[in-house]
Amino acid sequence: MHYSLDDAAALLSIAEDLHAAAAEIPIPTPTAYGTGLAEDLEDQIRRLTTLLSSFANTVAVHSRTPRAHGRPPLRTHRRVVMEAHAAGAVGTALAELAEAMVQVAVLQDAPGLHHPAGHADAVRSAHAALDGLFDSARRRLHRAAHQLHGGADHLARPSAQAPSTIPESRVAPSPPASATARRSFNR
């Protein structure tokens, strides 16, 4: 039986990183939308960028590895594909956090708005946009982490047989040596 514990462990580690990143996305409160929010976002964007870079590295390294019999090892290939899918989710969450930076800039510029009615509307709109962007990024990262957990469970399951072995039922039985010897005497 063959276990792919290294591939499964890699996926579980990435899943935990995604859960942690999602948990650290700022949850703004009505009184703290501007205080330190830009710095928190910067930290999260840097963290997600590092994860995305790691995924790109994994895919690049995998594409350069020598292939046995012209094909990559199936379990490792599956892990790399799962990481690539997670990279898509991280990239989208990263885009949402970049849009959140725009909303933080709007909030920081809100005192400069000339019309009091426009000021209140801009602040409400920025608050609503931030809430939506943060919630969406959190959900996206948690969903990607859950998918990686499922993939790790699948990779960690034992396969019925190692791919390099041939089942006995496919090998033609060779006749016993005594039967071959008798046939040569009967001629």
Side-chain angles (χ1 to χ4, degrees):
M1 291 212 264
H2 181 273
Y3 293 88
S4 183
L5 295 179
D6 291 341
D7 291 329
L11 289 179
L12 290 174
S13 176
I14 294 166
E16 292 308 314
D17 285 346
L18 291 176
H19 279 306
E24 290 181 15
I25 290 176
I27 301 175
T29 61
T31 58
Y33 270 99
T35 310
L37 193 54
E39 287 82 9
D40 291 343
L41 275 173
E42 179 189 14
D43 291 343
Q44 282 308 105
I45 288 171
R46 187 175 290 118
R47 181 179 196 167
L48 292 179
T49 302
T50 301
L51 271 171
L52 199 55
S53 177
S54 173
F55 293 144
N57 182 20
T58 298
V59 172
V61 167
H62 181 67
S63 70
R64 290 190 304 262
T65 57
R67 310 285 192 234
H69 306 291
R71 293 183 304 185
L74 185 58
R75 289 181 183 265
T76 300
H77 179 72
R78 285 182 184 160
R79 176 185 54 85
V80 171
V81 169
M82 286 182 243
E83 284 187 40
H85 285 288
V90 169
T92 303
L94 192 56
E96 290 168 336
L97 294 182
E99 179 59 29
M101 286 299 288
V102 172
Q103 300 307 318
V104 169
V106 167
L107 287 172
Q108 289 175 346
D109 191 44
L113 296 174
H114 300 290
H115 304 294
H119 170 71
D121 289 343
V123 168
R124 263 193 304 280
S125 177
H127 287 192
L130 278 173
D131 290 342
L133 290 165
F134 289 157
D135 288 344
S136 178
R138 253 186 240 100
R139 277 192 311 274
R140 192 173 308 281
L141 293 174
H142 281 306
R143 192 173 331 138
H146 286 296
Q147 288 171 341
L148 289 177
H149 271 287
D153 291 344
H154 178 74
L155 289 179
R157 277 189 231 134
S159 59
Q161 197 161 16
S164 63
T165 61
I166 300 172
E168 289 182 27
S169 61
R170 289 187 182 177
V171 177
S174 58
S178 60
T180 308
R182 276 185 286 206
R183 267 191 254 154
S184 63
F185 290 119
N186 291 337
R187 289 189 181 170

